[in-house]
Amino acid sequence: TYNTNSQVVDSASSATAFLCGVKGNLWTVGVDSNVLQSNCTDALNTSFHAHSIAKWFQDAGRSAGIVTTTRVTHATPAGAFAHSANRGWEDDAS
């Protein structure tokens, strides 16, 4: 797949595309193309959030989970649950 602002995709926006069915901008995860990279204000707008197949299952009363060999906040697994303007924002310590 590709991003809305780049032909070369990164794993965060790719995960958003294949888990949520929504294309986004490079380095974003779980948000649509209205959210530019590192734009925290737009990422907080819930109307720009893309929801994954995991959430669709949960909303239908089913169980969903994530299995990964990396940290759960890493770009690809985060596509199942996160909404962030920057794939590197894995916590709010900064």
Side-chain angles (χ1 to χ4, degrees):
T1 184
Y2 57 90
N3 296 110
T4 54
N5 65 341
S6 174
Q7 286 186 327
V8 179
V9 70
D10 71 293
S11 58
S13 52
S14 179
T16 301
F18 72 74
L19 291 171
C20 305
V22 174
K23 289 193 180 288
N25 292 312
L26 195 65
W27 270 65
T28 64
V29 61
V31 291
D32 66 22
S33 61
N34 289 299
V35 179
L36 299 178
Q37 180 185 345
S38 300
N39 187 323
C40 188
T41 302
D42 285 346
L44 293 173
N45 185 336
T46 58
S47 67
F48 298 153
H49 290 184
H51 299 290
S52 75
I53 192 169
K55 178 154 178 23
W56 304 340
F57 265 68
Q58 290 174 333
D59 289 349
R62 296 178 171 198
S63 297
I66 300 168
V67 176
T68 181
T69 58
T70 187
R71 60 193 182 274
V72 72
T73 56
H74 201 274
T76 303
F81 64 88
H83 308 287
S84 180
N86 189 311
R87 64 179 274 168
W89 295 347
E90 295 186 45
D91 61 51
D92 60 359
S94 297

